[in-house]
Amino acid sequence: MDVLRIPAAVTSRLPGRLGETVGATGSPVVSVARLHGVISAQAAPVPRQVLNAASVEKVLERAFAPDRLAAVALVINSPGGSPTQSQLIGDRIRGLAAEKDVPVLAFCEDVAASGGYWLACAADEIYACSTSIVGSIGVVSAGFGLDGLIDRWGVTRRLHTVGGSKARLDPFLPEKPEDVAWLTALQEQLHERFVAWVRERRGDRLASDTELFDGEVWLGDRARELGLIDGIGTAHDVLTERFPDAEQRPVEARKPLLARLGAGGAVSLGHPGVDPAALGSELLAAVETRATWARFGL
């Protein structure tokens, strides 16, 4: 009987699951997914610098897809961002973990703060380096007051609304105490939800003699003492010890087709067809992204 033999050079190029099946060793798999960037529903000048429910969906699906899956590792490097996107990503991780019935381990790199720590709490166990920045369980809002600037230049702000609450905290108008009170109340509600999530996920591992929910951050060793993480170690070392027979399989977001062909890249203001307003919006988004990282000295 003739047996069809497929050269290894061919099987290595087969896409998707077929390429994994041919020549499979039968060893267990630990998927390693990297979650890096500011958490925001808005796009960034470099899309892979932003985390949101849409951008990580395919990565998470692929991470939980292998048949011989032993665990999923999340390598997190994020200073936080949108509370809603943090919750959506965290809930998706928990949903897939329950569906596949596998443990999830989080590994904090430079920073897992605010929304970044929210994502870490979606894991069953959290690890960090001794130099990692962890925590920032709080809520922050930032903006600019430009009313003095437009007064200086003789500009009149014309704003017409129906509904007394429609134009709260307009940056071109003087700040009103009642608007600040409204924002503070909203922040308190978000903070309560954040605290509830941390307590739900960390339980009695949390220290009871230290204030953990005032927005403070700690380095890895102190975070372990406070119960915010479970241990000190890198993804490679911990996974090798915990799953010695498993293949550690990186799972990354696929680059857009144009980027893979080398057709992507930044454009200059003088480039034909570039909308200066759109470019200005991208530059502002880049500044805001940089400022978010800068809060943690990164």
Side-chain angles (χ1 to χ4, degrees):
M1 180 176 66
D2 293 334
V3 178
L4 177 63
R5 298 183 181 276
I6 303 176
V10 175
T11 61
S12 65
R13 294 195 297 268
L14 291 175
R17 302 291 296 240
L18 180 58
E20 296 177 8
T21 302
V22 177
T25 63
S27 60
V29 172
V30 175
S31 294
V32 182
R34 178 172 293 275
L35 301 180
H36 177 97
V38 174
I39 304 170
S40 173
Q42 298 178 346
V46 180
R48 298 180 78 188
Q49 291 180 347
V50 165
L51 295 172
N52 54 50
S55 69
V56 304
E57 175 64 24
K58 294 300 182 182
V59 174
L60 294 178
E61 287 182 353
R62 291 170 56 212
F64 283 90
D67 292 331
R68 303 178 305 280
L69 188 65
V72 170
L74 305 174
V75 181
I76 297 172
N77 201 5
S78 174
S82 164
T84 299
Q85 294 301 318
S86 301
Q87 180 178 1
L88 289 172
I89 297 171
D91 288 351
R92 184 60 173 148
I93 293 169
R94 291 315 310 156
L96 288 168
E99 177 183 338
K100 300 297 183 177
D101 192 24
V102 293
V104 179
L105 288 72
F107 296 89
C108 309
E109 290 195 326
D110 295 273
V111 59
S114 195
Y117 185 66
W118 186 304
L119 301 187
C121 284
D124 300 295
E125 301 174 26
I126 305 175
Y127 296 86
C129 297
S130 60
T131 52
S132 299
I133 297 173
V134 179
S136 190
I137 305 170
V139 181
V140 61
S141 299
F144 298 94
L146 303 176
D147 51 302
L149 180 64
I150 65 174
D151 285 345
R152 178 179 178 182
W153 289 96
V155 178
T156 301
R157 171 67 163 161
R158 293 174 179 172
L159 182 65
H160 309 283
T161 66
V162 176
S165 301
K166 194 63 178 177
R168 284 186 174 125
L169 298 174
D170 186 297
F172 296 100
L173 295 175
E175 189 175 67
K176 299 178 182 178
E178 58 268 29
D179 290 351
V180 176
W182 166 82
L183 178 61
T184 301
L186 194 65
Q187 289 177 318
E188 289 175 349
Q189 294 176 53
L190 290 171
H191 188 231
E192 290 172 1
R193 181 66 191 91
F194 196 173
V195 171
W197 169 251
V198 174
R199 290 193 183 280
E200 173 188 339
R201 298 300 304 154
R202 300 299 298 167
D204 57 10
R205 287 175 285 187
L206 295 172
S208 58
D209 58 348
T210 302
E211 175 56 60
L212 302 177
F213 308 118
D214 62 352
E216 184 61 270
V217 295
W218 298 271
L219 294 182
D221 289 316
R222 182 56 176 159
R224 178 179 57 179
E225 295 174 359
L226 297 174
L228 296 172
I229 66 174
D230 296 287
I232 301 296
T234 65
H236 178 270
D237 292 345
V238 173
L239 295 177
T240 299
E241 180 180 351
R242 291 282 298 277
F243 306 96
D245 299 325
E247 172 195 354
Q248 296 180 30
R249 183 178 298 172
V251 181
E252 297 182 357
R254 290 190 174 95
K255 295 181 180 179
L257 177 60
L258 290 178
R260 280 182 275 162
L261 295 175
V267 295
S268 65
L269 184 59
H271 192 284
V274 175
D275 180 0
L279 184 58
S281 178
E282 289 187 354
L283 290 174
L284 180 59
V287 170
E288 292 177 344
T289 298
R290 186 70 192 91
T292 304
W293 286 103
R295 289 207 303 267
F296 301 98
L298 300 172

